[in-house]
Amino acid sequence: MPSIALSKDLSVLYITSEVHPLIKTGGLGDVSAALPAALRALGADVRLLIPGYPKVLASLRYKRKFAEFPNLLNFPPFVLWSAKLPKGKGISKGTPIFVIDCPSLYQRSGGPYTNTNGKDWPDNALRFGLLSKIGAILASDDSPLAWRPNIVHCNDWQSGLTPAYMYFYQGKKIVSLMAVHNLAFQGVFPPSTLTQLGLPSTGFHINGIEYYGNISFLKAGLFYSDHIITVSPTYAKEIQTITLGFGLQGLLAGRSDHISGIINGIDIAEWDPATDPCLAQNYSVKKITAKGINKRALQQIMGLAVDPDIPLFGMVSRHTYQKGYDLLLQVAPFLARLPAQLAVLGSGEGSIDRELVALEKKYPGKIAVKIGFDETLSHLIEGGADSFLMPSRFEPCGLNQMYSQRYGTPPLVHATGGLLDTVVDCTPTTLADGSASGFLFYEMAPGSLLSGIQRVVDAYRNKTTWRQLQRNGMKKDFSWHSSAMAYRDIYLSLLS
Ligand code: ADP
Ligand code: GLC
């Protein structure tokens, strides 16, 4: 039996570099809002720690200063605020949040990780070294707060140094957990960064923070944390292989007894077609036909030919190699020759952006592209498209395939990571047993994606099959409840 057996005795410091609705570049923002809220609903006392980017400070109306640090290590002066997440439509409103207000590190225009030209901030080691360090301080006897966590939950490389700081701390040890949302981003910096960030040079070791002659924030977290969680069961296995281990497969395989895969949930209040304010028309599983009004709105907004009968594919994501844009670009001319349309929203690598815009020019009315980050349009694409495309090369979890199913927009996905865990391929058997909810393609090759697209187009023509698929997806439970319970059980077992 664990010594702490109840969720109400859990105090969790959840360290993150983004949280919706304050700041979001991808799924981590959504998860950082919804998981802590779901854990709080189970009785756990979860509090967030985040850098004070301009958007974060501007969104928090009532905040209280609780500490000032004029000269901590080599960091510029900063203060700590405590506040609550603002009221919104989602489940996260009211979650307590600690904010690091360090103007010289965070007050700048651009994104949380990159400048306006998409280049990494040159001082990212210091920016996220500070986040990691404060996480460790709040878990230590040196904390300026009376509140103490008994679990420190780190997310991705940006808080990867926290378990290292905690390991080298001389006082009471607190349990730390490293959540891997994406192993491709590792926070790699020159070796000199180690002492600059106040970590001992003994940490520069293969059994430590060293990573092929440099240091890696993520490796530190994976090495020093008490437990590792990935955001889907399949990804937990994939990262232990050479193909998707990104050089860390040896370390991960060696720690396999300490790795769990828990599938992400979604915020079902924020992503609900029956109440979503971003849609032209709300609808539900009982009134799926009303979804057509969103298709019309989407076709008009994106400049596609307005046609209720042509299958419309949607896509919303970061424009990166991970998301399989190279494959999409190869297949798009064939898609344009089918009775099909494509609406794409996203931004990222400039070359992908440019190639997508060229496609739109070449196939007006059939392919439409919007470059940028647009929360409202992302909801309308979920509601207005007929099918959602995710040809991701790898996908630790993926959220859009779950949003799509909930919106009656069966997704077509590459069979990898969380996509494999959350989409049931449409076959005669799965249709008959009522589990079919989308389409999988298995080979990361243009022919395989294209035959997937053809399968969707064919299935779309059969209205009975299509309705069945839509209903199956819309009825699935993607809420955070059971995954939050799985996190709670891991926290409790770590404290036992
Ligand atoms: P990842 O975290 O790898 O980017 P996920 O599928 O987990 O992928 O989550 C992506 C989240 O970011 C989703 O909520 C998606 O709708 C959102 N998103 C991605 N790109 C955009 C964009 N250009 N505009 C609006 N939302 C976006
Ligand atoms: C990452 C992954 C994505 C996952 C998200 C939230 O950015 O790429 O697959 O859904 O984190 O966990």
Side-chain angles (χ1 to χ4, degrees):
M1 277 294 288
S3 54
I4 292 183
L6 297 171
S7 328
K8 74 176 177 50
D9 297 317
L10 283 171
S11 320
V12 183
L13 179 67
Y14 189 94
I15 312 175
T16 185
S17 53
E18 48 185 277
V19 61
H20 178 73
L22 306 187
I23 178 99
K24 164 175 160 185
T25 68
L28 176 61
D30 290 353
V31 172
S32 300
L35 171 59
L39 284 162
R40 288 178 65 80
L42 293 176
D45 180 2
V46 187
R47 306 186 188 194
L48 265 59
L49 173 67
I50 189 166
Y53 317 112
K55 276 190 191 161
V56 169
L57 291 172
S59 318
L60 299 173
R61 283 185 57 206
Y62 304 103
K63 49 187 191 300
R64 185 180 66 83
K65 190 198 290 184
F66 67 89
E68 283 186 35
F69 289 81
N71 52 2
L72 175 71
L73 300 170
N74 292 311
F75 298 111
F78 64 95
V79 302
L80 297 179
W81 299 99
S82 86
K84 292 199 166 166
L85 279 185
K87 285 198 168 40
K89 203 177 158 293
I91 60 175
S92 65
K93 53 181 179 270
T95 302
I97 177 165
F98 304 123
V99 181
I100 308 170
D101 186 0
C102 183
S104 60
L105 292 184
Y106 306 131
Q107 279 290 327
R108 43 182 90 162
S109 47
Y113 320 119
T114 55
N115 65 17
T116 37
N117 298 322
K119 289 259 174 302
D120 283 354
W121 292 113
D123 54 353
N124 270 348
L126 211 55
R127 298 173 75 239
F128 296 107
L130 180 61
L131 176 68
S132 298
K133 177 68 183 172
I134 298 304
I137 289 179
L138 295 185
S140 75
D141 295 335
D142 305 330
S143 173
L145 289 169
W147 180 83
R148 291 282 191 289
N150 47 23
I151 298 279
V152 175
H153 181 135
C154 309
N155 290 285
D156 278 350
W157 74 265
Q158 292 87 348
S159 45
L161 278 194
T162 299
Y165 281 118
M166 290 168 72
Y167 175 84
F168 289 108
Y169 176 67
Q170 298 300 317
K172 189 178 167 214
K173 295 282 181 241
I174 303 287
V175 170
S176 65
L177 182 147
M178 187 72 227
V180 181
H181 299 260
N182 199 331
L183 204 66
F185 301 105
Q186 304 189 342
V188 175
F189 301 99
S192 55
T193 319
L194 199 67
T195 41
Q196 191 195 3
L197 293 177
L199 280 158
S201 50
T202 48
F204 192 72
H205 194 274
I206 185 162
N207 292 317
I209 309 171
E210 188 269 345
Y211 182 66
Y212 298 104
N214 285 309
I215 67 157
S216 158
F217 277 39
L218 180 64
K219 185 192 165 194
L222 297 174
F223 184 81
Y224 290 111
S225 61
D226 295 291
H227 199 79
I228 297 167
I229 295 205
T230 65
V231 286
S232 69
T234 295
Y235 195 58
K237 291 187 212 129
E238 289 173 339
I239 57 171
Q240 297 179 47
T241 66
I242 191 158
T243 328
L244 289 179
F246 288 95
L248 290 163
Q249 62 276 6
L251 163 60
L252 290 163
R255 294 208 69 194
S256 60
D257 291 348
H258 299 277
I259 302 181
S260 314
I262 302 179
I263 197 78
N264 285 333
I266 61 171
D267 184 334
I268 54 170
E270 179 105 18
W271 292 90
D272 182 356
T275 56
D276 191 333
C278 305
L279 297 185
Q281 174 67 52
N282 291 118
Y283 60 97
S284 64
V285 69
K286 291 200 184 108
K287 266 183 69 182
I288 307 184
T289 44
K291 180 170 161 46
I293 297 173
N294 295 301
K295 178 170 180 177
R296 187 185 172 81
L298 181 60
Q299 286 170 327
Q300 281 169 338
I301 287 173
M302 296 289 292
L304 291 163
V306 174
D307 178 346
D309 298 320
I310 193 165
L312 167 54
F313 289 90
M315 196 161 168
V316 180
S317 73
R318 295 178 289 113
H319 290 168
T320 63
Y321 181 71
Q322 174 193 347
K323 301 294 177 181
Y325 276 96
D326 50 330
L327 214 58
L328 178 78
L329 288 164
Q330 290 178 66
V331 162
F334 298 97
L335 184 149
R337 274 179 230 138
L338 294 172
Q341 292 177 333
L342 173 65
V344 181
L345 165 66
S347 64
E349 288 165 24
S351 57
I352 298 178
D353 293 0
R354 283 191 292 279
E355 289 197 63
L356 284 167
V357 171
L359 264 183
E360 178 183 46
K361 285 218 176 81
K362 201 161 174 197
Y363 303 104
K366 292 217 81 182
I367 296 181
V369 175
K370 167 102 192 280
I371 304 294
F373 195 94
D374 186 336
E375 192 74 35
T376 304
L377 184 57
S378 75
H379 284 242
L380 185 62
I381 292 180
E382 289 292 4
D386 294 304
S387 175
F388 198 91
L389 263 186
M390 291 181 82
S392 307
R393 181 158 275 101
F394 65 95
E395 197 61 80
C397 178
L399 300 176
N400 284 106
Q401 80 282 7
M402 294 190 267
Y403 300 150
S404 311
Q405 290 170 76
R406 186 158 164 78
Y407 278 62
T409 308
L412 165 60
V413 304
H414 179 217
T416 182
L419 302 177
L420 189 57
D421 293 341
T422 52
V423 179
V424 178
D425 193 31
C426 179
T427 66
T429 316
T430 56
L431 269 175
D433 68 21
S435 62
S437 65
F439 302 83
L440 295 172
F441 69 96
Y442 288 84
E443 244 184 281
M444 201 57 200
S448 187
L449 171 57
L450 194 56
S451 52
I453 290 173
Q454 188 64 60
R455 284 176 67 209
V456 174
V457 171
D458 293 343
Y460 181 78
R461 284 204 200 102
N462 183 332
K463 289 295 164 210
T464 317
T465 305
W466 197 256
R467 279 280 178 272
Q468 185 61 46
L469 261 179
Q470 287 181 301
R471 278 198 206 99
N472 292 351
M474 291 180 87
K475 285 183 184 158
K476 280 169 83 165
D477 178 9
F478 289 116
S479 72
W480 265 104
H481 185 67
S482 56
S483 297
M485 287 205 292
Y487 274 93
R488 181 198 59 184
D489 291 348
I490 287 178
Y491 293 159
L492 291 174
S493 71
L494 289 171
L495 290 172
S496 68

